[in-house]
């Protein structure tokens, strides 16, 4: 009896473990009204480096050129997140299906990161050494309330 109970609980335990590991990846995508995350931070920091009008136009062109590919990658990740959610919430979750879906979401996230790195490298190629130094300083600066502490009095 112990052996059969144990073998039936192993897949369930594996599915639960994968579900817990996947929880951060299941966050619903925010509307694309304004950039968020690394793009918003990067654009904010570009605002402090003192871009010339020509550089602003070039950056805008790079952003517009990258937008369709990034939008497609985000749409793929959203669909893969939904598939992961469906696999996790299935009546009898299949650990292999959950694992495969989780790996797809992770690959999507890495593809988006690689595309952003390519975009940021192209933008940085437009900058002067002084602007690059300002950008690096801004990107490395501590973020306000980054530790989640809303009370500056602590």
């Amino acid at each position: 009896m112990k052996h059969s109970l144990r073998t039936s609980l192993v897949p369930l335990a594996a599915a639960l473990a994968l579900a817990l590991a996947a929880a951060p990846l299941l966050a619903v995508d925010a509307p694309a009204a304004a950039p968020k995350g690394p793009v918003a931070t990067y654009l904010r920091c570009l605002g402090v480096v003192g871009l010339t009008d020509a550089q602003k136009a070039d950056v805008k062109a790079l952003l517009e050129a990258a937008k369709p590919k990034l939008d497609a990658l985000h749409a793929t990740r959203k669909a893969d997140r939904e598939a992961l959610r469906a696999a996790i919430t299935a009546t009898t979750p299949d650990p292999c299906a959950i694992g495969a879906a989780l790996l797809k979401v992770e690959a999507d996230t890495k593809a988006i990161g690689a595309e952003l790195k390519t975009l940021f490298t192209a933008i940085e190629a437009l900058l002067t050494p002084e602007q690059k130094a300002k950008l690096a300083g801004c990107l490395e600066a501590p973020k306000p309330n980054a530790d989640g502490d809303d009370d500056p009095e602590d």
Side-chain angles (χ1 to χ4, degrees):
M1 179 71 178
K2 278 187 176 180
H3 183 64
S4 64
L5 180 62
R6 184 177 179 185
T7 57
S8 64
L9 288 178
V10 169
L12 183 59
L16 181 60
L18 282 171
L20 291 173
L25 297 174
L26 291 175
V28 178
D29 287 333
K36 290 190 171 192
V39 174
T41 300
Y42 197 85
L43 292 177
R44 180 183 54 79
C45 286
L46 275 179
V48 301
V49 302
L51 295 175
T52 66
D53 288 339
Q55 287 173 318
K56 289 177 185 177
D58 291 342
V59 167
K60 184 176 180 180
L62 288 171
L63 291 170
E64 288 174 356
K67 188 177 184 332
K69 187 167 186 178
L70 285 169
D71 286 347
L73 289 170
H74 282 287
T76 299
R77 184 174 65 179
K78 183 177 182 181
D80 289 343
R81 280 181 174 172
E82 290 170 3
L84 174 60
R85 185 176 292 112
I88 289 172
T89 60
T91 304
T92 52
D94 176 9
C96 292
I98 293 171
L102 179 63
L103 291 174
K104 280 186 178 181
V105 172
E106 183 64 22
D108 296 340
T109 301
K110 287 180 180 177
I112 291 168
E115 189 63 26
L116 288 175
K117 184 176 180 182
T118 300
L119 173 63
F120 296 163
T121 300
I123 290 172
E124 289 169 21
L126 302 171
L127 304 179
T128 66
E130 294 81 18
Q131 289 172 323
K132 287 179 186 179
K134 285 182 183 178
L135 178 64
C138 178
L139 292 172
E140 293 170 7
K143 310 298 180 267
N145 296 324
D147 62 353
D149 184 11
D150 292 331
D151 187 5
E153 297 293 317
D154 286 319

